[in-house]
């Protein structure tokens, strides 16, 4: 009886073996097909997200281009460009008699207030303050002194100063135009806005007064950076509807953070009088790329 039972069981198992093997391979095949389908769905979803994001970024860049063109055609901007250029070329500080003291004040700011944060964010890099300052003219040093190192507001808040005291016409102009320009970049999320003299390449105005303020984008320390490239693109342009956009790259005045710039020429009665440059809103672009 036991032998018969064993034979029956053994025969049953032998009969089931082809079915079990077939089911195993059929199941594996189904799993493989399902996995391929899931992978294909995931791939198509990623492609769709990529395309949607690319479209959103493109549309946003067009918005920025149109804002830059509108600003460069604004009579207030044209007036500010002309006025700042006229006053910046021979700018004198209220303490203009002591250029050496102004430079020493700036060296201290570069190495301490700015330098400490720079070193924190860039542990393997340091800045050479004297080298960055060596090529600046007396008027540029005076402008940086009044609006950066002698500015009573803290690092990262230099834009709060409406005008340096007792510095003549430039201070009056700054007090007139600065609140509007500051409000513009805060409203639209730009990192900074610059007005650049067409002939000297000097940044005659910026909102945030970082280390690039009052430097030349032709011969100064940042001429070979992204902002210098943006200036060169619009300087060469022969139409008022031109916009030049640069790739993101490390930018020292912004603590070596990635920065991109868009520029457009400023015309007055058919004559190119300056360049408007906007430092791109990184947070907004990151938000689009990462869906906030």
């Amino acid at each position: 009886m036991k032998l018969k039972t064993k034979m029956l069981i053994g025969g049953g198992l032998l009969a089931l073996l082809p079915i079990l093997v077939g089911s195993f391979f059929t199941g594996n095949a189904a799993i493989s097909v399902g996995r391929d389908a899931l992978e294909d769905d995931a791939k198509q979803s990623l492609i769709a997200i990529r395309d949607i994001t690319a479209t959103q970024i493109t549309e946003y860049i067009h918005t920025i281009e149109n804002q830059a063109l509108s600003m460069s055609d604004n009579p207030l901007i044209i007036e500010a460009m002309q006025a700042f250029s006229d006053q910046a070329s021979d700018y004198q500080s209220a303490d203009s008699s002591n250029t050496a003291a102004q430079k020493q004040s700036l060296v201290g700011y570069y190495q301490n207030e700015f330098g400490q944060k720079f070193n924190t964010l860039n542990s393997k890099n340091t800045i050479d303050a004297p080298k960055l300052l060596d090529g600046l003219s007396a008027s540029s040093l005076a402008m940086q002194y009044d609006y950066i190192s002698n500015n009573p507001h803290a690092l990262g808040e230099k834009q709060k100063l409406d005008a340096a005291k007792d510095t003549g016409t430039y201070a009056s102009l700054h007090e007139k135009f600065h609140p509007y320009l500051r409000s513009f970049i805060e409203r639209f999320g730009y990192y900074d806005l610059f007005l650049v003299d067409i002939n000297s390449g000097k940044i005659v105005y910026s909102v945030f007064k970082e280390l690039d303020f009052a430097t030349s984008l032709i011969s100064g320390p940042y001429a070979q950076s992204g902002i210098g490239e943006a200036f060169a693109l619009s300087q060469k342009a022969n139409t008022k509807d031109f916009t030049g956009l640069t790739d993101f790259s490390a930018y020292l005045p912004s603590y070596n953070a990635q920065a991109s710039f868009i520029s457009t020429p400023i015309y007055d009665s058919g004559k190119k009088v300056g360049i408007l440059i906007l430092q791109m809103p990184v947070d907004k672009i990151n938000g689009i790329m990462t869906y906030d």
Side-chain angles (χ1 to χ4, degrees):
M1 184 68 182
K2 288 182 180 179
L3 179 61
K4 186 175 181 181
T5 301
K6 288 180 180 179
M7 290 176 64
L8 285 173
I9 293 172
L13 290 173
L14 288 173
L16 285 172
L17 186 60
I19 298 173
L20 292 171
V21 171
S23 297
F24 174 80
F25 285 108
T26 302
N28 274 356
I31 291 171
S32 179
V33 170
R35 182 173 62 244
D36 290 344
L38 287 172
E39 288 179 353
D40 187 62
D41 286 346
K43 187 182 296 183
Q44 294 304 317
S45 295
L46 289 172
I47 291 172
I49 291 170
R50 179 199 65 188
D51 292 343
I52 291 170
T53 302
T55 299
Q56 290 176 328
I57 288 292
T58 300
E59 290 175 349
Y60 185 57
I61 295 300
H62 287 327
T63 298
I64 290 174
E65 289 175 332
N66 287 330
Q67 286 178 346
L69 290 170
S70 295
M71 284 292 283
S72 67
D73 202 35
N74 185 328
L76 189 72
I77 298 298
I78 296 171
E79 180 188 354
M81 183 73 257
Q82 292 273 41
F84 279 131
S85 286
D86 289 343
Q87 294 301 316
S89 59
D90 57 355
Y91 180 94
Q92 290 188 343
S93 172
D95 188 24
S96 60
S97 61
N98 198 341
T99 302
Q102 290 179 354
K103 188 171 183 179
Q104 190 58 40
S105 172
L106 286 165
V107 168
Y109 176 85
Y110 277 45
Q111 292 179 333
N112 297 319
E113 287 95 322
F114 178 86
Q116 288 176 7
K117 182 173 180 178
F118 183 90
N119 292 340
T120 299
L121 298 173
N122 302 273
S123 58
K124 295 183 180 180
N125 295 302
T126 57
I127 62 169
D128 187 344
K131 183 178 179 181
L132 292 173
L133 290 165
D134 276 346
L136 302 190
S137 65
S139 63
S140 293
L141 288 172
M143 290 174 72
Q144 284 209 356
Y145 172 76
D146 281 339
Y147 285 89
I148 298 180
S149 67
N150 200 40
N151 184 328
H153 296 284
L155 180 74
E157 298 181 348
K158 301 299 181 181
Q159 80 281 2
K160 292 183 178 180
L161 180 66
D162 284 338
K165 294 181 179 179
D166 304 321
T167 55
T169 305
Y170 185 94
S172 299
L173 293 170
H174 198 277
E175 192 168 28
K176 174 181 178 180
F177 296 113
H178 182 63
Y180 167 74
L181 296 172
R182 178 178 57 203
S183 174
F184 171 81
I185 69 164
E186 289 175 349
R187 181 181 298 275
F188 293 105
Y190 289 104
Y191 188 95
D192 210 343
L193 178 152
F194 310 85
L195 297 178
V196 190
D197 181 75
I198 190 64
N199 297 312
S200 66
K202 185 174 184 176
I203 298 175
V204 296
Y205 170 84
S206 73
V207 172
F208 272 93
K209 306 299 185 298
E210 293 191 322
L211 304 193
D212 44 22
F213 174 60
T215 66
S216 170
L217 298 182
I218 295 175
S219 59
Y222 314 109
Q224 302 304 313
S225 69
I227 194 171
E229 179 187 353
F231 169 78
L233 289 170
S234 285
Q235 187 189 40
K236 296 173 184 175
N238 53 15
T239 171
K240 65 184 298 184
D241 295 326
F242 173 86
T243 57
L245 179 65
T246 69
D247 291 333
F248 279 92
S249 60
Y251 188 55
L252 189 150
S254 299
Y255 308 100
N256 268 354
Q258 294 293 305
S260 172
F261 301 87
I262 187 167
S263 65
T264 186
I266 299 173
Y267 280 82
D268 185 15
S269 302
K271 179 183 178 182
K272 190 188 297 186
V273 295
I275 307 294
L276 170 73
I277 300 178
L278 295 170
Q279 189 167 342
M280 299 286 279
V282 178
D283 290 343
K284 177 67 175 178
I285 293 172
N286 281 340
I288 294 172
M289 295 293 290
T290 62
Y291 289 85
D292 292 318

